[in-house]
Amino acid sequence: MLRSRFRRIRLTSVQLVVLFYLIAVTISTFLIGLPIAHQQGVELSFMDALFTAVSAVSVTGLTVVSTADTFSVPGIFIIAFVLQIGGIGIMTLGTFVWLVMGKKIGLKERQLIMTDQNQSTLSGLVQLMKQILGLIFIIELIGALVLGTYYLRFFETWQEAYLQGFFASVSATTNGGFDITGKSLQPFAHDYFVQFIHTLLIVTGAIGFPVLIEVKNFLFSRQNSYRYKFSLFTKLTTMTFLVLVVLGAILIWAFEATSFFADKKWHETFFYSMFQSVTTRSGGLSTMDVNEFQEPTQLLMSALMFIGASPSSVGGGVRTTTFAIVLLAIFFFAKGATSIKVFGRELHHEDIHKAFVVFSVAVIVWSTGIVMLSISEPFPIVAIIFEVSSAFGTTGLSMGITPGLSTFGKIVIMCLMFIGRIGILSFLFLIRGTVLRERYRYPTERVIIG
Amino acid sequence: MLRSRFRRIRLTSVQLVVLFYLIAVTISTFLIGLPIAHQQGVELSFMDALFTAVSAVSVTGLTVVSTADTFSVPGIFIIAFVLQIGGIGIMTLGTFVWLVMGKKIGLKERQLIMTDQNQSTLSGLVQLMKQILGLIFIIELIGALVLGTYYLRFFETWQEAYLQGFFASVSATTNGGFDITGKSLQPFAHDYFVQFIHTLLIVTGAIGFPVLIEVKNFLFSRQNSYRYKFSLFTKLTTMTFLVLVVLGAILIWAFEATSFFADKKWHETFFYSMFQSVTTRSGGLSTMDVNEFQEPTQLLMSALMFIGASPSSVGGGVRTTTFAIVLLAIFFFAKGATSIKVFGRELHHEDIHKAFVVFSVAVIVWSTGIVMLSISEPFPIVAIIFEVSSAFGTTGLSMGITPGLSTFGKIVIMCLMFIGRIGILSFLFLIRGTVLRERYRYPTERVIIG
Ligand SMILES: [K+]
Ligand SMILES: [K+]
């Protein structure tokens, strides 16, 4: 009885989150389609408005039209607002709906979010989320001020400089990937200060909500900081994030050593590798045209985008924890161990099963997307693999084929961005219609695998 | 105590099987490198002899030199012999080693192989395997006679016709994928009789050893055939095999309807689709040049080759059962069920875990192979994806880049053929050095997935 109620509520909460996304897309499409949002003489088709809306709500950043050439100042503020809703809003709103709708279900999430067990009441949680939202807004504001002030040297008017700084800060923190420079961060390819600030903001958004909360607790805890215990989730996701960024940068550097980096200075190669590695986590901004990279690097970046950001962050993909648990499970299986021990804790077998399900579904969705686009689009396969990985990881990097996609191709990419954003688990729970009731059991029989 | 002994023996048996493969490759390289094996004036480098040996032992069929133009009649017999050893020999030998070395371990395999529980003694099993080996040799002999006799009309001498028939029969039954026509089965693109015989032989090899035994028991059982119960394994793998062949054919047909099949008659499109779908299971022979297909079809065939043949068969890849269990696990997970029920049986949770491990490792090995080849080879990515999938699935189809591979590329493809043949599980057990002893436990902690 309790069990069936549990299920009905979880089902409803997932549906609610998805419903919220759909409403957000509808309203965004309407707002983005308003004539006031466009520059003079620019016509935006319904399809392109819809695509921009899905891209903004899912904070992906793939664009079929140039943001800089299409949208007016009010339009730019609308997009920034949608990014805010899509990135931070839905992230917390998802948690919120879960907490409000399913007090029972909150247990797991609560355990994750609440490392300070003294505050584990619903009101305490809402309070905490408000604090975090406040924190993120403050970070965005500081980012906007720092970047805007710095940009004063590049732009004629202070309005233009601060508009650029504001939009850049919002786009980076929400990992939105949109740009109003017209060429992403390429104008700042040699401005390491701008890249450093962007990296900080991108990581803030992509590292995951629970991690931010724990870091905040760690920093402002009333107890001694030395005794603060980070959760397994935070250790696992942060470690994976770090390893992916560093390993990604090293591989990009190695793959391009004799080609794109051949005539560059060491600090240029360092910052190009580092920024392009960080941005695959889900930022989507870039300091160069990825077409200048070699095919192996483009495939590597596709794999990194496929892995994506942390769970409960502004990013998509299979997520860092999923990937880490799959690798750990493989390693411990090969070693013949029956349990997975990491950071002095054991992983729950249900989480391991979930991770494998998510990874496998992701591989199937990803490869289906590639085959579908290969049917409808005339572009090289590498560009299609890159685009599909970028959409599923809600990263927003592109080899430039987005504006040229057919209507069918745009729909496929929109679906991928949507699935990438809500996550494979929510996607699976969506198709969970009536729960199979297990009234009977069958005998177990073993089969040969692999 | 018993548990640790169990592990030590399993480790040894896997190492023994791999050792046997390595010895087989060494001897084959020597035999294939003998001057008597080559046609007059042909020089074969060590690397090419090694590649041919690995390809033959793993019954893949990827070739860096044309078999028809390189090898003499004695050479052709050597290759047929190596295919026999590689295909049927190692398949049974693997089972044999398991049975002889680890009588305890035999339990699981015995359960699979021995559906007739009255015969579950070691001597009974050896007897049974001998029968099956005999059965396969008889099938090969019939295939050789039928094809050879039929080929009399195409060749000037009966020796030539029967040599062609013999080699074709061995290559098809072992799913070897080698050909001495010089153009695979393309000369028989409109000879549906030859294709039909080849399809039968290929399926015999690829459907799996346990299935053959059960079918034999079903046909020659002393009891009433109606009461014979097929194992879950046989039902699952045969159903998956069938679905993959039919679905593969339909998709190939649909993908090519407006291009390669546009000017063809319905029976031509039927046989082209059907044969090319069957051959991806691991046959590797083809009735056409796959370069004539469109990119989506080539990607689809890559996916089919990646899935591969049945476990305990002459084929490679992730194997049909693995793929089926991953799909079933995803479906039942989405439905919220805690157990997987199929054909009136429940799957064991260990088998589900194994299937996910195999699938995930396969995806990682496969994508690593593609990135590595994209670094070293100048060929289009689709041709590389096709080649890597073909090697891992030990299928042997190619878009023609094999002879042009760099030495590094040849080594990568050889490793993939080897891993594909021994299977991901054996590959993982190989790197299982010392077993992690689980003397302590940690508390379990949940994490957010996907
Ligand atoms: K993004
Ligand atoms: K083959």
Side-chain angles (χ1 to χ4, degrees):
Chain A
M1 182 60 204
L2 184 77
R3 193 173 176 79
S4 109
R5 195 170 142 257
F6 177 96
R7 277 190 176 140
R8 211 176 315 132
I9 292 170
R10 184 162 58 169
L11 196 69
T12 318
S13 66
V14 168
Q15 287 176 329
L16 260 174
V17 170
V18 172
L19 187 68
F20 183 87
Y21 269 97
L22 289 175
I23 293 172
V25 166
T26 310
I27 297 176
S28 305
T29 308
F30 172 75
L31 290 175
I32 288 169
L34 287 176
I36 192 180
H38 313 147
Q39 289 178 18
Q40 280 198 318
V42 172
E43 286 271 335
L44 197 66
S45 71
F46 168 74
M47 198 64 195
D48 290 347
L50 179 64
F51 192 95
T52 309
V54 172
S55 182
V57 169
S58 68
V59 286
T60 303
L62 289 172
T63 46
V64 282
V65 294
S66 159
T67 312
D69 299 338
T70 308
F71 295 102
S72 61
V73 173
I76 287 168
F77 276 100
I78 288 172
I79 290 177
F81 177 72
V82 175
L83 287 179
Q84 203 71 270
I85 297 289
I88 294 158
I90 296 187
M91 181 171 78
T92 48
L93 208 123
T95 321
F96 208 81
V97 169
W98 253 317
L99 290 171
V100 174
M101 296 304 300
K103 288 166 196 174
K104 290 277 173 219
I105 301 156
L107 269 173
K108 201 184 92 193
E109 280 71 29
R110 213 180 287 175
Q111 195 187 334
L112 285 166
I113 296 173
M114 300 300 304
T115 48
D116 183 352
Q117 292 299 328
N118 302 329
Q119 284 197 330
S120 62
T121 57
L122 188 60
S123 61
L125 267 177
V126 173
Q127 204 57 35
L128 191 70
M129 286 210 298
K130 276 187 190 165
Q131 289 174 21
I132 292 299
L133 274 184
L135 191 69
I136 290 182
F137 284 132
I138 290 171
I139 290 172
E140 281 185 343
L141 187 66
I142 295 173
L145 288 175
V146 169
L147 288 175
T149 309
Y150 188 80
Y151 286 171
L152 284 174
R153 71 190 68 179
F154 302 123
F155 295 96
E156 288 182 12
T157 65
W158 64 267
Q159 289 96 330
E160 174 75 355
Y162 281 102
L163 178 67
Q164 288 277 353
F166 162 75
F167 192 85
S169 178
V170 170
S171 180
T173 311
T174 61
N175 278 229
F178 280 79
D179 65 87
I180 53 170
T181 65
K183 297 193 75 177
S184 199
L185 281 190
Q186 290 177 38
F188 305 106
H190 295 88
D191 192 324
Y192 302 145
F193 176 75
V194 169
Q195 290 180 37
F196 178 70
I197 298 292
H198 273 85
T199 302
L200 282 185
L201 297 176
I202 288 173
V203 171
T204 303
I207 199 78
F209 205 60
V211 176
L212 291 182
I213 294 179
E214 289 190 25
V215 169
K216 176 195 154 293
N217 285 345
F218 170 73
L219 293 176
F220 305 107
S221 145
R222 279 151 300 179
Q223 299 169 347
N224 192 329
S225 289
Y226 289 103
R227 293 174 59 199
Y228 185 83
K229 280 224 170 79
F230 283 101
S231 70
L232 173 61
F233 169 79
T234 289
K235 288 177 188 162
L236 197 59
T237 190
T238 310
M239 177 62 85
T240 314
F241 199 97
L242 197 73
V243 169
L244 284 174
V245 165
V246 173
L247 200 67
I250 291 172
L251 287 176
I252 291 174
W253 181 85
F255 283 15
E256 294 294 330
T258 56
S259 44
F260 183 69
F261 291 157
D263 59 348
K264 305 248 180 338
K265 298 201 185 72
W266 71 266
H267 53 87
E268 288 178 302
T269 66
F270 174 82
F271 272 90
Y272 272 123
S273 309
M274 204 63 196
F275 195 86
Q276 262 58 237
S277 177
V278 167
T279 203
T280 56
R281 282 284 61 65
S282 100
L285 296 165
S286 58
T287 58
M288 55 167 298
D289 181 354
V290 284
N291 281 302
E292 293 192 60
F293 277 152
Q294 302 291 302
E295 279 190 350
T297 319
Q298 290 158 350
L299 291 176
L300 170 73
M301 287 178 76
S302 303
L304 290 172
M305 294 191 291
F306 173 79
I307 297 168
S310 304
S312 293
S313 77
V314 294
V318 294
R319 316 289 155 96
T320 49
T321 42
T322 313
F323 185 66
I325 290 176
V326 165
L327 289 189
L328 286 170
I330 289 169
F331 175 76
F332 279 83
F333 177 83
K335 281 286 178 191
T338 51
S339 64
I340 299 180
K341 298 186 178 68
V342 56
F343 294 120
R345 286 284 183 282
E346 283 187 16
L347 292 175
H348 195 287
H349 65 92
E350 264 186 40
D351 289 337
I352 300 167
H353 187 64
K354 252 188 209 171
F356 275 121
V357 168
V358 168
F359 184 76
S360 307
V361 174
V363 169
I364 293 167
V365 166
W366 176 82
S367 39
T368 308
I370 290 169
V371 171
M372 285 172 106
L373 283 197
S374 79
I375 296 173
S376 67
E377 313 303 319
F379 307 112
I381 283 296
V382 176
I384 288 174
I385 293 174
F386 198 90
E387 191 83 3
V388 166
S389 309
S390 175
F392 175 68
T394 70
T395 313
L397 292 173
S398 175
M399 286 171 64
I401 67 172
T402 328
L405 290 174
S406 67
T407 302
F408 175 79
K410 283 176 188 169
I411 292 170
V412 170
I413 292 292
M414 281 194 278
C415 290
L416 287 168
M417 293 193 287
F418 198 81
I419 294 171
R421 187 66 193 94
I422 65 170
I424 293 285
L425 280 184
S426 303
F427 173 61
L428 283 181
F429 289 147
L430 258 188
I431 59 174
R432 176 184 290 187
T434 50
V435 170
L436 287 180
R437 285 180 186 277
E438 315 206 40
R439 291 204 183 104
Y440 51 89
R441 304 277 303 180
Y442 286 129
T444 305
E445 186 175 334
R446 306 295 302 260
V447 294
I448 316 177
I449 311 289
Chain B
M1 182 55 205
L2 185 76
R3 194 173 175 80
S4 111
R5 196 173 143 254
F6 178 96
R7 276 188 175 141
R8 211 176 315 134
I9 293 169
R10 182 161 61 171
L11 196 70
T12 319
S13 65
V14 168
Q15 286 175 329
L16 260 175
V17 170
V18 172
L19 187 68
F20 183 86
Y21 269 98
L22 290 176
I23 293 172
V25 166
T26 310
I27 297 176
S28 305
T29 308
F30 172 75
L31 290 176
I32 287 168
L34 287 177
I36 193 180
H38 314 147
Q39 289 178 19
Q40 280 199 318
V42 172
E43 285 272 335
L44 197 66
S45 72
F46 168 74
M47 198 63 195
D48 290 349
L50 179 65
F51 192 95
T52 309
V54 172
S55 182
V57 169
S58 68
V59 286
T60 304
L62 288 172
T63 46
V64 282
V65 294
S66 159
T67 311
D69 299 339
T70 308
F71 296 102
S72 61
V73 172
I76 287 169
F77 275 102
I78 288 172
I79 290 177
F81 176 72
V82 174
L83 287 179
Q84 204 71 271
I85 297 290
I88 294 159
I90 297 186
M91 181 172 76
T92 48
L93 209 123
T95 322
F96 208 81
V97 170
W98 254 317
L99 290 170
V100 174
M101 296 304 299
K103 287 167 195 173
K104 289 278 172 217
I105 302 157
L107 269 173
K108 201 184 94 196
E109 280 71 29
R110 216 180 285 176
Q111 194 185 334
L112 283 165
I113 296 172
M114 300 299 304
T115 49
D116 183 352
Q117 293 297 329
N118 303 327
Q119 284 196 329
S120 62
T121 57
L122 189 59
S123 61
L125 266 176
V126 173
Q127 205 57 35
L128 191 70
M129 287 211 296
K130 275 188 192 164
Q131 288 174 23
I132 292 299
L133 273 184
L135 191 68
I136 291 181
F137 284 131
I138 290 171
I139 291 173
E140 280 185 344
L141 187 66
I142 295 173
L145 288 176
V146 170
L147 287 175
T149 308
Y150 188 79
Y151 286 171
L152 284 174
R153 71 189 69 180
F154 302 123
F155 295 96
E156 288 182 11
T157 65
W158 65 267
Q159 288 96 329
E160 174 76 352
Y162 280 103
L163 178 66
Q164 289 277 352
F166 161 75
F167 193 86
S169 179
V170 170
S171 180
T173 311
T174 61
N175 278 230
F178 279 80
D179 65 87
I180 53 171
T181 64
K183 296 193 77 179
S184 199
L185 281 191
Q186 289 177 39
F188 305 105
H190 294 90
D191 192 324
Y192 302 145
F193 176 75
V194 169
Q195 290 180 39
F196 178 70
I197 298 292
H198 274 84
T199 303
L200 281 186
L201 296 175
I202 288 173
V203 171
T204 302
I207 198 78
F209 205 59
V211 176
L212 291 182
I213 294 179
E214 288 191 25
V215 169
K216 176 194 154 292
N217 284 344
F218 171 73
L219 293 176
F220 305 107
S221 145
R222 281 152 297 179
Q223 299 169 349
N224 191 329
S225 289
Y226 289 101
R227 292 173 60 199
Y228 186 83
K229 280 222 170 78
F230 284 101
S231 70
L232 174 60
F233 170 77
T234 289
K235 288 177 189 162
L236 198 59
T237 190
T238 310
M239 177 63 85
T240 314
F241 200 96
L242 196 72
V243 169
L244 284 173
V245 165
V246 173
L247 201 67
I250 292 173
L251 286 175
I252 290 174
W253 181 84
F255 282 15
E256 295 294 330
T258 57
S259 44
F260 183 68
F261 292 158
D263 58 348
K264 306 244 176 347
K265 299 201 184 71
W266 71 266
H267 53 86
E268 288 178 301
T269 66
F270 175 82
F271 272 91
Y272 273 121
S273 309
M274 205 64 196
F275 194 87
Q276 262 58 238
S277 178
V278 168
T279 203
T280 55
R281 280 286 60 65
S282 100
L285 296 164
S286 58
T287 58
M288 55 166 298
D289 181 356
V290 285
N291 281 303
E292 292 191 60
F293 277 152
Q294 303 291 301
E295 279 190 351
T297 319
Q298 290 158 351
L299 291 176
L300 171 74
M301 288 178 75
S302 303
L304 291 172
M305 294 191 291
F306 173 78
I307 298 169
S310 304
S312 292
S313 77
V314 296
V318 293
R319 315 290 154 96
T320 49
T321 42
T322 312
F323 185 66
I325 290 177
V326 165
L327 289 189
L328 286 170
I330 290 169
F331 175 77
F332 279 83
F333 177 83
K335 282 285 179 191
T338 52
S339 65
I340 299 179
K341 298 186 178 69
V342 58
F343 294 119
R345 287 284 182 282
E346 283 187 16
L347 291 175
H348 195 286
H349 65 92
E350 262 185 41
D351 289 337
I352 300 168
H353 186 65
K354 250 189 213 172
F356 275 122
V357 168
V358 168
F359 183 76
S360 306
V361 173
V363 168
I364 293 168
V365 166
W366 176 83
S367 39
T368 308
I370 290 169
V371 172
M372 285 172 107
L373 283 198
S374 79
I375 296 172
S376 66
E377 313 303 320
F379 306 113
I381 283 296
V382 176
I384 288 174
I385 293 174
F386 199 90
E387 191 83 5
V388 166
S389 309
S390 175
F392 175 67
T394 71
T395 312
L397 292 173
S398 174
M399 287 172 64
I401 68 172
T402 328
L405 289 174
S406 66
T407 303
F408 175 79
K410 283 177 187 168
I411 292 170
V412 170
I413 291 292
M414 281 193 279
C415 290
L416 286 168
M417 293 193 287
F418 197 81
I419 295 170
R421 187 68 192 93
I422 65 171
I424 293 286
L425 281 185
S426 303
F427 174 61
L428 283 181
F429 289 148
L430 256 189
I431 59 175
R432 175 185 289 187
T434 49
V435 171
L436 287 179
R437 287 182 184 275
E438 315 205 40
R439 291 205 182 105
Y440 51 89
R441 305 277 303 180
Y442 286 129
T444 306
E445 186 175 335
R446 306 296 302 259
V447 295
I448 315 176
I449 312 289

